[in-house]
Amino acid sequence: MPGLRLDPRASILILLCSFVPPICFNSPPASAAVFVAYLLVALVALDRARLRAAALLLPSLVLSSALLWGVFLGEGDVLFRLGPLAWRDVSGWFGLAMGLRFGAWSLAGLAFLARVTVEEMAWGLHRLGLPYPAAFSLSLSLRLAGQFSDTARMVFEAQRVRGRDLEGGSLPSRVRRLAPMLVPLLVLSLRRVNQMAMAMESRGYGGGPRTSWLDFRWRTVDTALVLACVALTFLCVGLRWHGLGVLLQGRL
């Protein structure tokens, strides 16, 4: 539900549980069922911009997985050849299931990041027992990843405004033209990290007992959703234990 705000601890536990069901199956029908379930959750949790990004990423992920596994796994009958490469039917179906698996994981991660802020994630990890420096570092890595992406985009736009053609020509020539971007990107990134270090020091990071302005209460809905996810996780593990939803035995 769009207006539902869970305790960050519940969101983290649900995210951890969400990684188990996709890995329990390696047949396309079972993997597709799990993927559709995750997709329905993502449609509720994600905004239009993130949905558009997922719509662009997931088809290529699934297709490339089916093609690569179909060529290199070596299971099943050969359907067609392209020079020394042979695409096999069982391998291709297995690759399709792997693509759906990674797609489900991607949707789970996007839904989590859309509903939980970096500060809430650090708070939740710490309240779950992770030492605060480790929880803060993990949450900070997500924040810095977005900032570095914004910095790279800013440098790219600045170079293009100055007349550099960064998109035309062959792939090797484009790679060579991107090399000069590394110096300003590195300088700006180091400057941003230095500013963040000074900001942390000025706020007394590591100087004594910490307080937090965040205050979440564990509610009944948090318990219900976590228990439902745990039950679903054990159900999927039980199905895998009995060989249901498995195309190739002995492979995750």
Side-chain angles (χ1 to χ4, degrees):
M1 292 179 290
L4 180 62
R5 296 292 295 175
L6 298 177
D7 188 295
R9 292 168 291 183
S11 298
I12 293 171
L13 293 175
I14 291 173
L15 177 67
L16 294 177
C17 289
S18 70
F19 287 108
V20 179
I23 208 172
C24 290
F25 309 108
N26 60 29
S27 69
S31 297
V34 174
F35 177 83
V36 169
Y38 282 46
L39 180 60
L40 294 176
V41 175
L43 290 175
V44 176
L46 301 180
D47 55 23
R48 292 184 177 180
R50 288 189 175 92
L51 285 175
R52 285 195 295 267
L56 293 174
L57 172 66
L58 294 179
S60 59
L61 176 65
V62 175
L63 180 60
S64 60
S65 176
L67 291 175
L68 291 174
W69 281 101
V71 170
F72 295 106
L73 184 59
E75 297 284 348
D77 300 326
V78 176
L79 293 183
F80 63 86
R81 290 183 178 275
L82 182 61
L85 303 179
W87 196 85
R88 300 175 183 271
D89 52 358
V90 176
S91 300
W93 289 119
F94 182 84
L96 178 60
M98 294 300 101
L100 293 171
R101 173 186 294 178
F102 287 113
W105 283 338
S106 301
L107 291 174
L110 288 174
F112 174 79
L113 295 176
R115 306 294 292 184
V116 180
T117 64
V118 175
E119 295 80 9
E120 292 172 356
M121 185 176 69
W123 183 91
L125 289 172
H126 181 52
R127 292 303 177 92
L128 287 173
L130 193 67
Y132 186 80
F136 180 79
S137 300
L138 182 59
S139 61
L140 185 62
S141 64
L142 295 178
R143 183 192 296 273
L144 289 178
Q147 291 180 353
F148 288 157
S149 176
D150 294 338
T151 302
R153 189 180 303 109
M154 180 181 65
V155 172
F156 181 84
E157 294 296 334
Q159 295 281 353
R160 191 164 61 177
V161 167
R162 288 174 173 80
R164 293 188 63 89
D165 182 15
L166 301 174
E167 298 179 343
S170 62
L171 180 60
S173 63
R174 280 184 288 175
V175 172
R176 286 194 298 270
R177 286 196 297 268
L178 288 176
M181 291 181 57
L182 297 178
V183 174
L185 179 60
L186 180 61
V187 171
L188 290 174
S189 299
L190 292 176
R191 181 183 300 173
R192 189 182 295 272
V193 171
N194 184 52
Q195 291 173 347
M196 182 168 295
M198 290 189 294
M200 292 169 59
E201 185 178 0
S202 65
R203 287 169 172 79
Y205 180 82
R210 299 194 55 83
T211 59
S212 176
W213 59 272
L214 294 174
D215 185 22
F216 290 91
R217 302 290 182 183
W218 188 277
R219 299 174 297 170
T220 304
V221 64
D222 299 310
T223 303
L225 288 177
V226 170
L227 289 178
C229 290
V230 171
L232 178 62
T233 298
F234 278 103
L235 174 62
C236 293
V237 172
L239 292 176
R240 175 60 187 255
W241 181 267
H242 290 87
L244 300 176
V246 178
L247 178 65
L248 291 177
Q249 296 288 346
R251 287 186 176 272
L252 288 179

